[in-house]
Amino acid sequence: MQLPTNVSSLRGMIEVPGDKSISHRAVMLGALASGRTVIDHFLPGADCLSTIDCFRKLGVDIRQDGTTVVVEGAGPGGLREPAAVLDVGNSGTTARLLLGILAGQPFHACLVGDESIAKRPMGRVTKPLREMGARIDGRDSGNYTPLSIRGGALRPLRYTSPVASAQVKSAVLLAGLFTDGVTSVTEPHRSRDHTERMVRLFGGEVNVDGLTVSVAGPQRLRGTHIYVPGDISSAAFFLVAGAIVPNSEITLKNVGLNPTRTGIVDVLNEMGADVVIDNVRNEETEPVGDITVRTSTLRAVEIGGDLIPRLIDEIPIIALLATQAEGTTVIKDASELKVKETNRIHTVVTELKKFGADIEATDDGMIIRGKTPLYADGIVVDSHGDHRIGMMLAVAACIAKGTARLERSEAVVVSYPAFFADLRSLL
């Protein structure tokens, strides 16, 4: 795909698609609940459609019409042993959270994914689930897909996670819903809390005490109505584009403002970006608002520690932002990037260097020196099959002189099917 370059301005208003993390969880908890769940502004991206497909194979009646999904909950004991292998596609969230749910089911299931999923570590989830009593086997002793799981008769667990991961936390808590007793997860830093909020929305109980989250099982969930806010991880690409493309002003409507996810806004503010948030309100259990960003003069910052879990998915686009900030930006404590859809540390550095960025990789992050003009002298950049890399490169091309072509642009459908159309609408 030929990318727009030499862009003189980006102006307009868009509504980014529904939050991917919330869309996954809405389908999953709706499937476990008793009664009907209606999901509005659902993200019909490839990852979330994989979640729907898996739960249909588990016997759940799910109807999708664009961004509206109706789930007829199976209720307690209602999931059925699948006749076919459960294929999670490219979705790590589907794989890890589904394992937590399957751990509590008295039947056998097999789980596979695509080439990218086959490289992503599952041991961080299978380890605590085995401690709870699930029988799990697979490649490299169950550390990688394909995986086989036979669940049921779980024991409650008090688990101290070595990583701050919403996927690990959610998998263990979801399994805890099927135990007789209290299951808890303690993290080194606070990760996104969509699971905790949504369990409460479905009538369940969750206790949060500092960095420890616990559930007492068994719990009975009730179907509900859910509005999925716009995904701030998708909005991040346009927040950065509005800050770095000349003469720009972009307003993003109905964006999720969950405080465990707004690290990108904190970084923009610390860098001196012109960002305004208004019309803030609550939709169900998630805060939502409108964000306006304008072309800004930026300064370098250091990003690490507790902030990393709040912006881990936004680091590729933050790296691009840093190329346009005066000074040296350091991103650290982000080794989790190595086990995403790609090794995002290596991929971001490799691809941005093609534009002439002054960027280098470290063991747990990157060092970016700015402000650096970007050039696209007929270059070919590659998403490497990673949706967030593909969108980041499209934004980079906007401020580059010359021409650029993006290989494997189709990767963006995982989280933002209309991304290129929305970008063109602002030109």
Side-chain angles (χ1 to χ4, degrees):
M1 171 185 286
Q2 202 69 31
L3 295 173
T5 54
N6 309 292
V7 173
S8 58
S9 70
L10 293 172
R11 307 186 75 84
M13 180 184 299
I14 58 176
E15 184 168 6
V16 296
D19 188 280
K20 186 155 73 80
S21 296
I22 297 174
S23 294
H24 281 302
R25 288 161 172 79
V27 171
M28 292 179 179
L29 291 175
L32 297 177
S34 298
R36 176 177 294 177
T37 292
V38 179
I39 307 166
D40 289 326
H41 202 225
F42 173 84
L43 169 63
D47 275 10
C48 296
L49 296 180
S50 292
T51 291
I52 287 179
D53 178 67
C54 287
F55 278 89
R56 283 174 173 160
K57 290 176 179 175
L58 290 165
V60 183
D61 179 7
I62 303 175
R63 301 185 299 280
Q64 181 212 349
D65 182 9
T67 60
T68 299
V69 174
V70 178
V71 183
E72 303 293 349
L79 297 184
R80 296 289 177 257
E81 184 170 85
V85 170
L86 302 175
D87 188 347
V88 304
N90 186 247
S91 178
T93 301
T94 306
R96 295 188 177 117
L97 272 61
L98 183 56
L99 284 169
I101 292 171
L102 292 173
Q105 310 308 311
F107 54 68
H108 175 259
C110 294
L111 185 151
V112 299
D114 67 7
E115 182 181 354
S116 170
I117 286 294
K119 299 175 183 177
R120 299 181 69 177
M122 296 295 156
R124 55 180 55 186
V125 168
T126 59
K127 178 182 182 294
L129 295 179
R130 282 170 169 160
E131 292 178 24
M132 298 178 78
R135 287 172 284 172
I136 304 173
D137 200 4
R139 190 163 56 91
D140 189 28
S141 300
N143 196 44
Y144 296 98
T145 59
L147 292 169
S148 167
I149 179 169
R150 185 173 295 277
L154 296 183
R155 301 179 294 271
L157 175 69
R158 297 189 183 277
Y159 185 63
T160 300
S161 176
V163 294
S165 166
Q167 293 180 2
V168 174
K169 176 177 64 176
S170 297
V172 176
L173 294 177
L174 289 170
L177 295 177
F178 301 98
T179 67
D180 185 9
V182 176
T183 292
S184 67
V185 181
T186 301
E187 301 182 285
H189 305 287
R190 189 183 183 200
S191 65
R192 59 184 65 174
D193 65 353
H194 300 304
T195 297
E196 297 93 300
R197 290 169 179 260
M198 194 169 292
V199 168
R200 295 189 186 105
L201 181 62
F202 278 88
E205 295 184 5
V206 180
N207 182 65
V208 179
D209 182 9
L211 296 175
T212 299
V213 182
S214 60
V215 295
Q219 294 199 28
R220 187 181 185 94
L221 306 178
R222 302 184 301 273
T224 188
H225 175 269
I226 298 172
Y227 170 80
V228 180
D231 196 324
I232 195 166
S233 295
S234 295
F237 298 97
F238 291 107
L239 292 175
V240 169
I244 66 176
V245 174
N247 309 308
S248 294
E249 180 174 333
I250 303 172
T251 296
L252 303 165
K253 302 288 289 185
N254 304 321
V255 179
L257 297 174
N258 183 307
T260 64
R261 296 283 300 281
T262 51
I264 176 65
V265 176
D266 294 346
V267 168
L268 283 162
N269 284 329
E270 190 177 351
M271 282 187 162
D274 184 354
V275 178
V276 176
I277 299 175
D278 56 20
N279 193 24
V280 177
R281 71 273 186 201
N282 279 313
E283 292 284 357
E284 323 304 352
T285 60
E286 295 279 352
V288 180
D290 304 333
I291 310 177
T292 298
V293 60
R294 301 175 183 87
T295 305
S296 307
T297 300
L298 304 170
R299 56 181 176 268
V301 296
E302 183 172 297
I303 302 168
D306 292 351
L307 186 58
I308 293 297
R310 299 177 54 232
L311 49 63
I312 190 68
D313 287 336
E314 290 74 75
I315 288 179
I317 194 64
I318 289 172
L320 171 62
L321 179 70
T323 69
Q324 303 308 300
E326 294 289 346
T328 299
T329 294
V330 177
I331 301 172
K332 61 182 184 178
D333 305 321
S335 56
E336 184 74 7
L337 290 172
K338 296 178 180 178
V339 293
K340 292 290 186 178
E341 283 83 341
T342 58
N343 177 337
R344 285 184 177 160
I345 293 176
H346 172 77
T347 307
V348 167
V349 170
T350 298
E351 296 301 321
L352 281 180
K353 278 186 173 180
K354 294 179 181 179
F355 284 102
D358 187 350
I359 180 171
E360 64 180 276
T362 63
D363 286 342
D364 64 349
M366 310 166 208
I367 299 172
I368 306 107
R369 300 173 184 87
K371 178 178 178 179
T372 306
L374 302 187
Y375 299 95
D377 299 323
I379 62 172
V380 177
V381 291
D382 192 340
S383 77
H384 296 264
D386 187 327
H387 55 127
R388 301 200 195 280
I389 299 297
M391 290 184 279
M392 179 273 289
L393 294 171
V395 177
C398 288
I399 60 169
K401 306 295 184 184
T403 61
R405 181 174 180 81
L406 174 63
E407 295 293 317
R408 291 186 269 188
S409 60
E410 68 279 2
V412 305
V413 302
V414 162
S415 63
Y416 201 154
F419 171 76
F420 292 109
D422 282 353
L423 179 59
R424 286 192 294 270
S425 76
L426 298 171
L427 295 173

XYZ file of all heavy atoms in Angstrom, residues 279-343:
492
model
N -16.176 16.765 27.879
C -17.372 15.920 27.795
C -17.138 14.575 28.472
O -17.557 13.521 27.980
C -17.790 15.719 26.332
C -19.183 15.120 26.198
O -20.019 15.252 27.101
N -19.432 14.440 25.090
N -16.469 14.586 29.612
C -16.162 13.341 30.332
C -17.413 12.861 31.069
O -18.095 13.635 31.738
C -15.013 13.559 31.337
C -14.739 12.288 32.128
C -13.756 14.002 30.596
N -17.726 11.570 30.920
C -18.859 10.967 31.615
C -18.612 9.475 31.749
O -17.647 8.949 31.199
C -20.175 11.218 30.884
C -20.356 10.458 29.572
C -19.782 11.171 28.386
N -20.104 10.486 27.139
C -19.419 10.654 26.012
N -18.365 11.469 25.979
N -19.773 10.016 24.926
N -19.480 8.792 32.470
C -19.355 7.347 32.634
C -20.346 6.634 31.735
O -21.516 6.993 31.675
C -19.600 6.933 34.088
C -18.374 7.147 34.939
O -17.273 6.782 34.556
N -18.553 7.749 36.100
N -19.867 5.614 31.011
C -20.715 4.704 30.256
C -20.583 3.349 30.926
O -19.513 2.745 30.902
C -20.264 4.624 28.789
C -20.478 5.894 27.987
C -21.924 6.107 27.580
O -22.753 5.221 27.881
O -22.210 7.147 26.967
N -21.691 2.872 31.529
C -21.645 1.661 32.350
C -20.583 1.874 33.439
O -20.729 2.750 34.267
C -21.358 0.417 31.500
C -21.978 0.371 30.114
C -23.491 0.531 30.062
O -24.159 0.542 31.107
O -24.009 0.682 28.953
N -19.493 1.146 33.395
C -18.474 1.273 34.454
C -17.189 1.925 33.949
O -16.214 2.004 34.690
C -18.120 -0.107 35.014
O -17.610 -0.932 33.964
C -19.342 -0.776 35.622
N -17.160 2.385 32.702
C -15.931 2.929 32.118
C -16.085 4.416 31.813
O -17.058 4.840 31.181
C -15.588 2.192 30.808
C -15.256 0.711 30.986
C -13.822 0.475 31.435
O -13.033 1.433 31.464
O -13.502 -0.691 31.737
N -15.115 5.252 32.233
C -15.163 6.672 31.886
C -14.870 6.890 30.400
O -14.053 6.194 29.802
C -14.071 7.290 32.756
C -13.125 6.169 33.043
C -13.951 4.923 33.079
N -15.558 7.881 29.823
C -15.469 8.179 28.392
C -15.400 9.690 28.219
O -15.978 10.446 29.011
C -16.701 7.626 27.641
C -16.631 7.936 26.146
C -16.835 6.122 27.846
N -14.709 10.151 27.182
C -14.660 11.575 26.895
C -14.201 11.844 25.479
O -13.916 10.917 24.703
N -14.148 13.114 25.122
C -13.663 13.550 23.811
C -12.287 14.182 23.982
O -12.051 14.916 24.945
C -14.621 14.575 23.194
C -16.046 14.044 23.076
O -16.207 12.809 22.978
O -16.981 14.869 23.086
N -11.389 13.905 23.047
C -10.015 14.416 23.136
C -9.701 15.217 21.870
O -9.895 14.713 20.750
C -8.984 13.279 23.279
C -9.381 12.307 24.405
C -7.599 13.867 23.545
C -8.433 11.123 24.530
N -9.216 16.428 22.055
C -8.770 17.259 20.932
C -7.266 17.492 21.061
O -6.772 17.812 22.144
C -9.511 18.606 20.906
O -10.916 18.367 20.727
C -9.007 19.475 19.758
N -6.548 17.323 19.955
C -5.099 17.527 19.936
C -4.738 18.435 18.775
O -5.350 18.374 17.701
C -4.354 16.169 19.832
C -4.722 15.426 18.564
C -2.847 16.359 19.936
N -3.768 19.302 19.011
C -3.304 20.237 17.983
C -1.795 20.133 17.832
O -1.095 19.676 18.743
C -3.696 21.669 18.346
C -5.199 21.879 18.503
C -5.524 23.288 18.979
N -6.957 23.460 19.191
C -7.596 23.168 20.326
N -6.892 22.697 21.368
N -8.899 23.343 20.431
N -1.294 20.570 16.704
C 0.149 20.557 16.442
C 0.891 21.233 17.600
O 0.496 22.312 18.063
C 0.453 21.286 15.132
O -0.326 20.704 14.093
C 1.933 21.168 14.787
N 1.964 20.580 18.042
C 2.609 21.014 19.280
C 4.130 21.035 19.162
O 4.711 20.315 18.347
C 2.223 20.059 20.425
O 0.819 19.905 20.526
N 4.756 21.869 19.994
C 6.202 21.835 20.188
C 6.477 20.897 21.358
O 5.954 21.101 22.459
C 6.741 23.236 20.491
O 6.441 24.093 19.381
C 8.248 23.194 20.709
N 7.293 19.880 21.127
C 7.447 18.792 22.088
C 8.843 18.753 22.686
O 9.819 19.151 22.039
C 7.162 17.452 21.393
C 5.802 17.340 20.703
C 5.748 16.085 19.848
C 4.673 17.348 21.730
N 8.930 18.231 23.920
C 10.220 18.043 24.585
C 10.354 16.576 25.015
O 9.366 15.894 25.295
C 10.342 18.962 25.800
C 9.222 18.814 26.808
C 9.391 19.778 27.986
N 8.254 19.689 28.907
C 7.173 20.463 28.825
N 7.090 21.384 27.869
N 6.184 20.322 29.701
N 11.586 16.115 25.097
C 11.867 14.718 25.430
C 11.503 14.410 26.882
O 11.490 15.298 27.743
C 13.346 14.420 25.188
N 11.223 13.131 27.150
C 10.879 12.680 28.500
C 11.509 11.312 28.738
O 12.037 10.682 27.822
C 9.351 12.569 28.694
C 8.686 13.924 28.584
C 8.753 11.583 27.697
N 11.443 10.852 29.986
C 11.829 9.487 30.328
C 10.572 8.721 30.706
O 9.756 9.208 31.492
C 12.834 9.463 31.479
C 13.320 8.066 31.820
C 14.454 8.065 32.833
O 15.538 8.603 32.518
O 14.251 7.532 33.943
N 10.419 7.522 30.148
C 9.202 6.726 30.352
C 9.601 5.370 30.916
O 10.400 4.645 30.312
C 8.452 6.532 29.019
C 8.093 7.898 28.405
C 7.207 5.679 29.208
C 7.627 7.817 26.965
N 9.048 5.015 32.078
C 9.373 3.728 32.685
C 8.558 3.490 33.940
O 7.643 4.238 34.268
N 8.884 2.415 34.646
C 8.265 2.116 35.933
C 6.785 1.838 35.843
O 6.301 1.165 34.931
N 6.027 2.396 36.816
C 4.592 2.150 36.903
C 3.827 2.620 35.677
O 2.699 2.168 35.442
C 4.009 2.867 38.135
C 4.477 2.262 39.439
O 5.104 1.187 39.401
O 4.223 2.865 40.504
N 4.412 3.529 34.908
C 3.718 4.063 33.737
C 3.621 3.037 32.606
O 2.661 3.063 31.818
C 4.440 5.322 33.243
C 3.799 6.113 32.099
C 2.392 6.560 32.468
C 4.665 7.316 31.746
N 4.571 2.127 32.513
C 4.644 1.203 31.373
C 3.378 0.360 31.192
O 2.852 0.271 30.065
C 5.897 0.310 31.470
C 7.163 1.157 31.297
C 5.862 -0.798 30.423
C 7.306 1.844 29.953
N 2.824 -0.270 32.240
C 1.600 -1.057 32.014
C 0.421 -0.225 31.514
O -0.504 -0.767 30.910
C 1.297 -1.645 33.401
C 2.601 -1.635 34.121
C 3.303 -0.408 33.628
N 0.459 1.094 31.738
C -0.642 1.962 31.316
C -0.514 2.434 29.878
O -1.394 3.132 29.373
C -0.735 3.168 32.260
C -1.020 2.788 33.713
C -1.041 3.985 34.642
N -1.960 5.004 34.173
C -1.642 6.280 34.006
N -0.411 6.700 34.248
N -2.551 7.137 33.595
N 0.591 2.071 29.212
C 0.764 2.486 27.811
C 1.549 1.466 26.991
O 2.084 1.794 25.933
C 1.435 3.867 27.737
C 2.704 4.158 28.555
C 3.886 3.306 28.181
C 3.046 5.626 28.460
N 1.585 0.214 27.446
C 2.434 -0.779 26.788
C 2.103 -0.920 25.302
O 2.997 -1.060 24.471
C 2.346 -2.147 27.519
C 3.398 -3.117 26.992
C 0.943 -2.720 27.451
C 4.816 -2.751 27.325
N 0.814 -0.863 24.936
C 0.436 -1.018 23.528
C 0.709 0.244 22.716
O 0.709 0.197 21.478
C -1.041 -1.393 23.412
C -1.293 -2.834 23.829
O -0.359 -3.647 23.767
O -2.436 -3.146 24.226
N 0.917 1.364 23.393
C 1.135 2.625 22.684
C 2.616 2.944 22.471
O 2.942 3.957 21.853
C 0.488 3.779 23.463
C -1.019 3.777 23.460
C -1.609 2.703 24.363
O -1.585 2.857 25.586
O -2.103 1.686 23.827
N 3.514 2.137 22.965
C 4.940 2.459 22.860
C 5.409 2.598 21.412
O 6.213 3.498 21.114
C 5.792 1.463 23.667
C 5.586 1.738 25.168
C 7.273 1.573 23.309
C 6.330 0.820 26.102
N 4.953 1.780 20.460
C 5.406 2.022 19.077
C 5.102 3.435 18.587
O 5.967 4.088 17.982
C 4.640 0.961 18.276
C 4.445 -0.158 19.247
C 4.187 0.522 20.562
N 3.903 3.934 18.846
C 3.571 5.276 18.364
C 4.231 6.345 19.235
O 4.576 7.428 18.760
C 2.038 5.483 18.280
C 1.694 6.727 17.467
C 1.394 5.520 19.646
C 2.099 6.657 16.017
N 4.479 6.049 20.514
C 5.214 6.986 21.369
C 6.659 7.123 20.871
O 7.246 8.210 20.927
C 5.162 6.539 22.841
C 3.751 6.741 23.401
C 6.181 7.292 23.692
C 3.540 6.156 24.781
N 7.240 6.035 20.389
C 8.597 6.107 19.836
C 8.641 7.078 18.661
O 9.582 7.874 18.524
C 9.068 4.719 19.410
N 7.628 7.019 17.802
C 7.555 7.985 16.699
C 7.394 9.398 17.238
O 8.071 10.328 16.774
C 6.384 7.634 15.775
C 6.064 8.683 14.709
C 7.241 8.877 13.756
C 4.796 8.310 13.955
N 6.513 9.582 18.214
C 6.325 10.896 18.831
C 7.654 11.451 19.324
O 7.961 12.638 19.138
C 5.335 10.751 19.993
C 4.997 11.994 20.812
C 4.156 12.971 19.999
C 4.260 11.597 22.088
N 8.460 10.593 19.920
C 9.735 11.028 20.490
C 10.722 11.500 19.433
O 11.593 12.331 19.725
C 10.350 9.899 21.313
N 10.598 11.008 18.204
C 11.504 11.479 17.147
C 11.281 12.956 16.843
O 12.160 13.610 16.274
C 11.341 10.671 15.844
O 10.062 10.963 15.243
C 11.480 9.182 16.074
N 10.108 13.486 17.232
C 9.775 14.881 16.947
C 9.839 15.764 18.190
O 9.361 16.895 18.177
C 8.383 14.953 16.308
C 8.252 14.138 15.037
C 9.354 14.458 14.040
O 9.481 15.618 13.605
N 10.156 13.470 13.673
N 10.439 15.226 19.262
C 10.612 15.991 20.501
C 12.064 16.428 20.641
O 12.987 15.683 20.286
C 10.211 15.131 21.700
N 12.272 17.618 21.154
C 13.622 18.137 21.352
C 14.279 17.415 22.531
O 13.742 17.401 23.639
C 13.585 19.639 21.636
C 13.101 20.486 20.472
C 14.114 20.550 19.330
O 15.286 20.157 19.573
O 13.741 20.978 18.228
N 15.454 16.796 22.271
C 16.167 16.115 23.332
C 16.126 14.602 23.171
O 15.708 14.074 22.133
N 16.569 13.911 24.211
C 16.678 12.456 24.171
C 15.600 11.828 25.052
O 15.551 12.070 26.264
C 18.060 11.990 24.661
O 19.068 12.539 23.800
C 18.155 10.471 24.640
N 14.746 11.034 24.438
C 13.701 10.301 25.156
C 14.189 8.883 25.439
O 14.724 8.210 24.549
C 12.400 10.249 24.333
O 11.863 11.577 24.218
C 11.367 9.338 24.991
N 14.006 8.441 26.671
C 14.397 7.085 27.077
C 13.133 6.326 27.479
O 12.351 6.784 28.308
C 15.382 7.114 28.256
C 15.712 5.690 28.710
C 16.657 7.869 27.865
N 12.934 5.171 26.859
C 11.854 4.252 27.227
C 12.501 3.029 27.848
O 13.348 2.388 27.222
C 11.007 3.849 26.001
C 10.394 5.086 25.344
C 9.923 2.847 26.399
C 9.691 4.804 24.022
N 12.138 2.717 29.088
C 12.764 1.600 29.798
C 11.686 0.779 30.525
O 10.517 1.154 30.545
C 13.808 2.105 30.786
C 13.262 3.020 31.872
C 14.375 3.516 32.788
C 13.798 4.355 33.923
N 14.868 4.819 34.855
N 12.104 -0.354 31.092
C 11.210 -1.255 31.840
C 10.110 -1.824 30.948
O 9.026 -2.165 31.428
C 10.567 -0.538 33.034
C 11.596 0.091 33.967
O 12.639 -0.553 34.187
O 11.362 1.211 34.460
N 10.398 -1.928 29.654
C 9.370 -2.351 28.693
C 9.757 -3.641 27.974
O 9.461 -3.820 26.801
C 9.112 -1.232 27.680
N 10.414 -4.553 28.665
C 10.827 -5.812 28.028
C 9.632 -6.646 27.575
O 9.768 -7.525 26.719
C 11.705 -6.629 28.983
O 11.030 -6.871 30.207
N 8.438 -6.355 28.124
C 7.208 -7.041 27.699
C 6.975 -6.871 26.191
O 6.315 -7.688 25.551
C 6.023 -6.485 28.485
C 4.697 -7.148 28.225
C 4.575 -8.520 28.854
O 5.484 -8.919 29.611
O 3.564 -9.196 28.574
N 7.530 -5.805 25.615
C 7.381 -5.565 24.177
C 7.961 -6.687 23.329
O 7.567 -6.881 22.173
C 8.067 -4.247 23.787
C 7.414 -2.960 24.281
C 8.325 -1.777 23.981
C 6.049 -2.762 23.649
N 8.878 -7.445 23.882
C 9.526 -8.511 23.117
C 8.595 -9.681 22.841
O 8.877 -10.504 21.964
C 10.768 -9.010 23.862
C 11.866 -7.964 24.018
C 13.045 -8.533 24.808
C 14.150 -7.513 24.974
N 15.290 -8.036 25.772
N 7.487 -9.802 23.598
C 6.596 -10.955 23.440
C 5.208 -10.509 22.999
O 4.199 -11.137 23.302
C 6.514 -11.794 24.733
C 7.842 -12.453 25.012
C 6.082 -10.938 25.930
N 5.153 -9.417 22.244
C 3.896 -8.990 21.626
C 3.779 -9.668 20.254
O 4.448 -10.661 19.977
C 3.867 -7.465 21.515
C 3.770 -6.760 22.857
C 2.396 -6.977 23.486
C 2.213 -6.178 24.757
N 0.854 -6.359 25.332
N 2.918 -9.114 19.369
C 2.735 -9.714 18.048
C 4.054 -9.871 17.308
O 4.235 -10.793 16.513
C 1.748 -8.881 17.222
C 0.296 -9.077 17.599
C -0.142 -8.247 18.795
O 0.713 -7.774 19.581
O -1.353 -8.068 18.971
N 4.960 -8.942 17.544
C 6.353 -9.063 17.113
C 7.206 -8.693 18.328
O 6.685 -8.282 19.360
C 6.675 -8.087 15.969
O 6.414 -6.748 16.414
C 5.850 -8.382 14.726
N 8.527 -8.797 18.185
C 9.414 -8.168 19.164
C 9.374 -6.678 18.841
O 10.086 -6.194 17.958
C 10.830 -8.722 19.032
C 11.810 -8.053 19.992
O 11.593 -6.925 20.449
N 12.898 -8.730 20.280
